[in-house]
Every structure is written in C-alpha cells, then in structure tokens.
C-alpha cells in the first residue's frame, strides 16, 4: 500500500479540520505523470462517520420509460448514434451520444435499457470533465447516492468511490495476493437494506492493454438452472454481510465510516421495471442460505458461485478506452475487475477512476418474498 500521508483541510460547513489520509504518492503524479485528474486522486476521510442507512421510498426511472426508447435510441436526436449489442444476452455499446447532454426522457429510457441489457457502455464521453457536481447530479437522477463504508474517495466528495491501482498503491491486488486470480465477482455492497440499483463507473486513466471489466447476467444465470432448482431457490433467502469487509479494513488500518450490517435477501429477486427474475447472490458478500444446514448451504452456494464465475456464455468483457463510461444494474448483474497489467511498468501501470453508486428498492422476490433483517 502507499506510504500513509496525512493532510489537514477545513470544510465550509465546520471549523474542525478534516483529517485525510492520502492513498497515493504525491510526487509520482506531480513530477512524473503531471496528472490531469489529480483532484480525483484517492483519499481517506478518517473522521466523518455515518449512522445506519434509513429506509426510503424508491421509484425506478425505468417504470415510466417507453419500451421502444424513441428518445434515447433514435438518430433523430443523435444523427451519429451507433448502438451495438456486445453479446446476445448482456451488454450494449453506444457511440455518438453524450451522457452529459441527456434529457429526463432519455435518462428514463436509459434506466430501462440498463435493466434489460445489464450493462451499457458509452464511448467517447466528456463525462469525466464536466465536474463533480454535475457528475453527482447525473447519478442522483437514478437514486440516492451511496457512500462506501470503508473505501477511498475523491477529496471532499465521499459519494465518489475511488478506483485506483497503480505503482504507489497496490492495495486492491494485495487483498487477493494469496489467490490464483485477482478476479472476484460481486454486486456492489449487496449487504445494504436497499442495495444499489445503477452504478456509473468512469475511468480517468486507462492502461493501454489490460484492466478490463467483466459482467455476468444474473437473469441468464437464473434461466439456465433446471426448474426444480429454480423452484427451490425461489423460496429461499441468503445472508449478505458487510462484516468481513469492515473487519478487513480495520485490520489494514483503514477507517470504517459506517458500522457493518447483515441482511437476508431473496436469492431470486424480481426487477421492478422488467419483471425479470434474477439470481441475487454473489461470491463477494453472500455468506449462507437461511434455513439450510451448513453443509447444504455451502454446497448450494458453491454451485451458484461456480455457475456465476464460469458461465462465459452469459458474460461480457469490456475493454476500457479513453472517454468510456459504463453503467450497470446491480440487481441483474455481478461484475469483476481484471487486474492483469503490471503496475510497475510506467507505460501500463495505472488504472484510476471513480464510481457513483445509486441505491435502489428493498429487494422483492418471487411471490412477494422480501428482504429482512434484525433491527
């Protein structure tokens, strides 16, 4: 991990100085890289803490969208528009349309498209240059912005979760240092009571090769299962836990700004805008199946995790380019970064960006099965 450096700043809303821990080495970006996006480099606010998230009413923007998406996918509004399915079952690429210029009708249709296709990749975007406030405003259209309980962030903007792996900070790789692969499929912070809906990921610095992201369709994963297994899973909940993440952060000397929780979510959830059934378990945060014996739970989760991880015929792998923005629906996908580049090679050694994650509804499964938790 990077050498820990502490700085003092003062916010406009309070007189007490805010203690920040830098998660990068300043001299690398000032002297060697002359980094354009230095304002977005990762820091840790080691003072601000938050109470548990409170329930809120959520209205999926996809519910009011027109199914044929005439405002988003019409060349009448964007003559240079090019829409490509990356695979038959998951992933759509869009060129010739700026996210920063979308109106509300187009955003509604985008929400529905993301729900249907799992992930939508926009190329040649100006999104990373429109400023933090406009970036957050865009995200808020789809739901309240999530603040990560342990992750690095952009200075003064806890809502922008920092994605950083470079020669001065290998923390994201070292956590997996004793494994054969750096990949790990997950749905963002799925332990939350109302876990994320849409996530928006923007990379500011991209390796010329490597550093791809892969997504897996949880709707296709569910559809592939045999009817008896589907029927079994339809009536079960699984525990999603934030405790290992928080405990790992504390062990590594990082600040936990919100205490961890456990939530029991339906294993199969129904998307509010499409009505599609999707698996809602992931190797990152799902720990056990409620109501089963330990051996039964372990065996079934092992089957599902293997299915999710190795189902390459319902996955998509996306190569990042300058100006790429990816938006995905955590309710119908899981994803993983692919850290296959050499962070110590100056020509390929920095992958840096930020993630804006919006919170969604309380998961609802088949026949109204809802998430539950202990107060």
């Amino acid at each position: 991990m990077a050498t820990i450096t502490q700085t003092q700043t003062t916010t406009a809303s309070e007189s007490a100085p805010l203690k920040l821990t830098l998660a990068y080495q300043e001299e690398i970006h000032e002297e060697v890289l002359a980094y354009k996006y230095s304002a977005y480099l990762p820091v840790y606010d080691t003072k601000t803490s938050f109470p548990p998230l409170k329930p809120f009413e959520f209205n999926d923007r996809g519910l009011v969208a027109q199914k044929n998406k005439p405002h988003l996918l019409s060349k009448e509004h964007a003559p240079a528009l090019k829409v490509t399915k990356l695979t038959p079952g998951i992933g759509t690429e869009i060129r010739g349309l700026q996210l920063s210029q979308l109106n509300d009708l187009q955003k509604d249709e985008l929400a529905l498209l993301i729900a249907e296709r799992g992930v939508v990749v926009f190329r040649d975007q100006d999104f990373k240059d429109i400023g933090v406030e406009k970036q957050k405003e865009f995200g808020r259209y789809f739901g309240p912005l999530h603040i990560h309980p342990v992750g690095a962030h952009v200075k003064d903007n806890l809502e922008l979760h920092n994605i950083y792996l470079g020669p001065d900070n290998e923390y994201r790789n070292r956590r997996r240092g004793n494994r054969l692969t750096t990949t790990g499929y997950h749905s963002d912070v799925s332990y939350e009571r109302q876990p994320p809906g849409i996530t928006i990921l923007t990379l500011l610095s991209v390796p010329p090769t490597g550093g791809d992201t892969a997504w897996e369709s949880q709707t296709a994963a569910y559809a592939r299962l045999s009817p008896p297994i589907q029927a079994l899973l339809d009536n079960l909940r699984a525990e999603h836990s934030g405790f290992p993440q928080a405990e790992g952060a504390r062990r590594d000397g990082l600040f936990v700004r919100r205490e961890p929780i456990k939530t029991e979510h339906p294993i199969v959830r129904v998307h509010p805008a499409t009505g599609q059934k999707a698996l809602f378990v992931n190797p990152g945060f799902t720990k056990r199946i409620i109501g089963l014996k330990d051996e039964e739970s372990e065996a079934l989760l092992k089957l599902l995790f293997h299915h999710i991880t190795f189902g390459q015929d319902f996955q998509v792998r996306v190569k990042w380019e300058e100006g790429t923005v990816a938006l995905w629906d955590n309710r119908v996908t899981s994803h993983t970064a692919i850290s296959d580049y050499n962070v110590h090679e100056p020509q390929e050694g920095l992958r840096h960006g930020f993630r804006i994650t919006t919170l969604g509804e309380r998961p609802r499964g088949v026949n109204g099965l809802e998430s539950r938790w202990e107060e």
Side-chain angles (χ1 to χ4, degrees):
M1 189 173 173
T3 302
I4 299 299
T5 306
Q6 292 185 345
T7 62
Q8 298 277 329
T9 64
T10 303
T11 66
S13 59
E14 59 185 40
S15 59
L18 201 62
K19 183 186 290 185
L20 296 178
T21 298
L22 304 186
Y24 63 94
Q25 292 179 358
E26 290 180 288
E27 60 271 19
I28 286 182
H29 299 281
E30 292 176 356
E31 299 174 10
V32 180
L33 297 178
Y35 191 38
K36 178 181 178 180
Y37 296 100
S38 58
Y40 286 83
L41 285 167
V43 300
Y44 288 99
D45 173 348
T46 60
K47 179 179 179 181
T48 306
S49 59
F50 296 92
L53 295 175
K54 295 182 178 180
F56 63 93
E57 183 177 350
F58 176 76
N59 295 305
D60 194 295
R61 300 307 309 175
L63 284 169
V64 297
Q66 294 188 44
K67 303 296 183 184
N68 62 341
K69 307 171 191 67
H71 304 93
L72 181 71
L73 301 182
S74 170
K75 288 197 173 185
E76 178 184 345
H77 302 282
L81 180 68
K82 182 180 180 181
V83 181
T84 305
K85 286 187 175 181
L86 296 175
T87 76
I90 179 173
T92 293
E93 180 184 81
I94 294 180
R95 295 181 184 270
L97 185 65
Q98 288 292 333
L99 286 166
S100 62
Q101 302 301 315
L102 297 184
N103 60 38
D104 288 356
L105 288 174
Q106 291 173 309
K107 291 175 190 175
D108 292 341
E109 292 173 4
L110 176 58
L112 181 59
L113 180 64
I114 297 169
E116 293 171 344
R117 297 294 299 161
V119 55
V120 179
V121 180
F122 281 78
R123 303 293 192 182
D124 306 313
Q125 296 295 297
D126 62 6
F127 189 78
K128 64 182 180 179
D129 295 313
I130 64 174
V132 169
E133 292 308 315
K134 288 185 178 179
Q135 289 158 351
K136 291 195 291 188
E137 179 185 3
F138 181 86
R140 285 194 190 98
Y141 187 81
F142 302 101
L145 302 189
H146 181 258
I147 294 177
H148 200 281
V150 301
H153 56 89
V154 172
K155 183 181 176 182
D156 299 327
N157 293 279
L158 287 162
E159 303 93 339
L160 271 62
H161 177 61
N162 225 298
I163 308 297
Y164 188 96
L165 180 61
D168 52 339
N169 190 333
E170 297 182 65
Y171 181 66
R172 295 176 70 86
N173 263 0
R174 286 177 179 172
R175 290 180 300 163
R176 304 184 177 105
N178 202 37
R179 296 179 56 222
L180 292 172
T181 177
T182 62
T183 60
Y185 276 92
H186 62 284
S187 175
D188 291 334
V189 295
S190 62
Y191 47 75
E192 298 290 12
R193 309 299 195 217
Q194 292 180 239
I198 291 173
T199 289
I200 305 154
L201 177 59
T202 306
L203 289 192
L204 306 170
S205 179
V206 183
T209 183
D212 301 348
T213 303
W215 285 266
E216 166 266 342
S217 169
Q218 294 277 51
T219 55
Y222 175 79
R224 294 288 180 87
L225 298 172
S226 64
I229 296 296
Q230 290 179 341
L232 172 64
L233 298 178
D234 284 350
N235 296 297
L236 294 174
R237 296 182 179 91
E239 178 186 279
H240 296 239
S241 177
F243 279 84
Q245 184 182 71
E247 291 163 0
R250 286 194 168 109
R251 184 174 58 248
D252 294 336
L254 301 179
F255 181 67
V256 176
R257 59 184 66 96
R258 186 188 304 112
E259 289 302 312
I261 61 171
K262 298 177 182 178
T263 307
E264 297 174 6
H265 292 308
I267 288 180
V268 180
R269 68 183 297 178
V270 179
H271 195 285
T274 66
Q276 288 186 303
K277 297 178 183 179
L279 287 179
F280 194 59
V281 296
N282 66 87
F285 298 113
T286 309
K287 303 306 176 185
R288 66 187 180 97
I289 297 176
I290 306 304
L292 298 189
K293 300 291 181 66
D294 290 347
E295 295 88 346
E296 296 168 338
S297 174
E298 291 168 6
L300 194 47
L301 286 179
K302 183 178 180 180
L303 167 67
L304 295 176
F305 293 164
H306 186 278
H307 181 44
I308 289 167
T309 302
F310 295 101
Q312 292 190 3
D313 51 350
F314 49 87
Q315 295 176 357
V316 62
R317 177 168 174 162
V318 172
K319 178 177 174 59
W320 292 89
E321 302 172 358
E322 174 72 18
T324 296
V325 181
L327 304 92
W328 67 90
D329 194 323
N330 288 279
R331 297 166 292 186
V332 295
T333 64
S334 62
H335 65 280
T336 181
I338 301 172
S339 302
D340 55 352
Y341 55 95
N342 183 359
V343 298
H344 298 290
E345 171 56 53
Q347 299 304 315
E348 63 176 87
L350 178 62
R351 183 180 188 268
H352 174 221
F354 63 88
R355 186 182 88 192
I356 296 174
T357 300
T358 68
L359 293 172
E361 75 281 1
R362 177 178 181 173
R364 183 180 292 269
V366 180
N367 297 322
L369 187 71
E370 285 192 322
S371 300
R372 65 186 186 186
W373 54 86
E374 293 183 3
E375 296 292 350

